[in-house]
Amino acid sequence: MSSAEEPSKRLARYAPESFWPSSLTKPIQYVREKFVLPFRQKERPVYYHRRFERVPTIDQCDIDDPLCRYEANVQFLRDKKVDSAILKILRRRLTECNAYWGADALHKCEKETETLKENMQNWYIRYGEIGYNMDVLEYYMKQKHRMIWLRRRKENGETDADYRD
């Protein structure tokens, strides 16, 4: 039975409708409609659908704004957790594919293998060689140095130098 039912119909489950006089059901209905239902949330928020607003990145923050730098750092760490969770999911998919196909996994799981390799490489380019106690400022410097390195490679005539982040 849905929650939008009248209380008298719900009470009918326990006793016949003739047992419940309207003098009992009317106050119950009034309290429910005027006090209970308006204070309930229409749809309960689901925990895994929580969306965080994007905050300014470290290059958009002022030098002497510690709150903005803190928010950028927290956003960076949250992005790292998301990227790490994506890698974990891709590893699990590859493991499941290998377990399912057995001897034919080398050919059947090529797509999963390539996706995992590409994402691992991108993760390493983004977060690798920074260390465990990384800060968003260290990441920003790494990104800057990588862009300079790629620009120099392009100036030297290398055609495969592309920036991916």
Side-chain angles (χ1 to χ4, degrees), residues 57-58 69 72-74 76 134-141:
T57 55
I58 191 71
R69 290 178 69 165
N73 195 36
V74 170
F76 169 72
M134 68 178 79
D135 188 18
V136 70
L137 196 56
E138 293 175 37
Y139 167 71
Y140 184 63
M141 289 299 120

Side-chain angles (χ1 to χ4, degrees), residues 94-156:
L94 180 62
T95 304
E96 289 172 355
C97 183
N98 287 335
Y100 181 78
W101 290 106
D104 294 335
L106 189 62
H107 303 292
K108 300 283 187 174
C109 302
E110 283 181 21
K111 186 179 92 174
E112 285 84 1
T113 306
E114 288 302 316
T115 306
L116 179 63
K117 281 183 183 177
E118 181 181 334
N119 280 293
M120 284 176 66
Q121 181 183 11
N122 289 338
W123 189 93
Y124 185 76
I125 287 171
R126 192 166 186 185
Y127 304 110
E129 297 178 343
I130 293 180
Y132 181 74
N133 294 326
M134 68 178 79
D135 188 18
V136 70
L137 196 56
E138 293 175 37
Y139 167 71
Y140 184 63
M141 289 299 120
K142 179 182 175 179
Q143 187 179 30
K144 181 190 77 163
H145 294 311
R146 180 167 169 77
M147 290 174 77
I148 291 170
W149 178 73
L150 285 170
R151 186 184 318 142
R152 287 187 184 150
R153 284 183 63 193
K154 281 187 180 180
E155 288 172 358
N156 291 338

Side-chain angles (χ1 to χ4, degrees), residues 76-90 119 122-123 126-127 165:
F76 169 72
L77 294 175
R78 191 179 309 130
D79 289 343
K80 182 179 183 277
K81 282 183 183 178
V82 168
D83 291 341
S84 298
I86 290 170
L87 273 182
K88 188 186 250 186
I89 291 169
L90 291 174
N119 280 293
N122 289 338
W123 189 93
R126 192 166 186 185
Y127 304 110
D165 186 31

